[in-house]
Amino acid sequence: MKILVINAGSSSLKYQVFDMEKGEMIAKGLCDRIGVDGAISHKRPGKDTYKKDVELRTHDDAIALVLKLLTDPELGVLTDISEIGAVGHRFAHGGEKLTKSTILGEQEKEYLYSIVGINPLHGPPAIKGLEACQKLLPNVSHVGVFDTSFYSQMPPSSYVYPIPYEYYETYKIRRYGFHGTSHRYVSGKAAEYVGKDIKELKMITCHLGNGSSISAIKNGVCIDTSMGFTPQEGLPMGTRSGSIDPTVVTYLMNALGLSPKEMDDILNRKSGLLGVSGVSSDCREIMQADEEGNPRAHLAMEILYHYIVKIIGSYAAEMDGLDVLVFTAGIGENDAVVRESVCKRLGFLGVKIDEDKNRTAKRGEFCDMSLEGAAVKALCIPTDEEYMIALDTYNLVK
Ligand code: AMP
């Protein structure tokens, strides 16, 4: 069966097609600048990327173009659209009710509309992508896979904020967690690699990319994660502050007369590694500047390590131990210096890495960098959220 995976953003739409019997991705691409002008890039493994500027007024236009390309005699991978057995849709947010991957009927769609208020950035475009797909592929199941569902079994002590309880009850202000599909994928792969049932393991997974989060997974259940009500909480990220004293926000708003939108912009787009370094939001550029002696670039990286180590330490305490530590995403998969700097500070937990193995690990490939006999397995595992979405979709419809 072929599964189409859709990840719709406000002006972009990513897609991948998987052949589930072979377990292979057979095509992927990106529709960009939807509603502005429009462009598509379309790729099949081992073949040249096809790129074209083409008018994309809406998500409907984008999906129509994707389906046309997928069945194109030269560029396509399907003889007919009917080969698509089901569509998996990535949703960042499933609220409190959509706690596992689900075939989306009218009731689920209504619920997704009802939680747009707490998910204003990702919710509306994801629903647009879903509706555009449902129009053009009305005869197949559309499955929602939710980043938040991985966190649905966190204990209330992890997810209830210590603010008046009625804000949780009335407005659903709580910690939801994000990147769950990635944490779920790499934790499953890690358990497979160490050859143990995930239910017997204490694991910490670090998704370090432009957005970053860390999760604590005890006996197969995620018990804590660093992102919260939004993907803003937790670690400092490319341009996001992560956790700061909330009074800094009200103080600055008062002192500078900032509107909520202006404050939000500072916290989301002007903070984090960019805000501290003043150089870039990209780790590679900051590390380059650090090497060249830029003190703020150095500080930005030190703050990042400080937060990562602090969170890992607290999660190990929550789980009363640690068996497996996983690094993934853009920084986690590619940056041996970040992995080494973090692991070196975790010796007290039993994390001991072979520096050669870590440094010579091929970028973006699996690596077991643990020193022989180390109490904690330290692994680098490339994430594959799209495959996870395809697998959930397949398992629900096959
Ligand atoms: P992601 O959001 O997972 O795509 O990760 C993006 C981030 O990964 C970028 O901001 C970079 O800082 C980082 N990154 C990507 N490739 C490398 C690399 N080869 N070395 C170091 N950092 C990298």
Side-chain angles (χ1 to χ4, degrees), residues 179 207-212 238 273 280-287 328-336 338 363 383 385:
H179 290 149
H207 178 113
L208 308 176
N210 208 13
S212 298
L273 299 177
S280 166
S281 62
D282 191 304
C283 232
R284 286 164 290 196
E285 289 171 23
I286 301 166
M287 289 171 102
T328 194
I331 300 170
E333 290 169 28
N334 293 299
D335 202 317
V338 170
R363 289 188 171 195
T383 194
E385 289 153 286

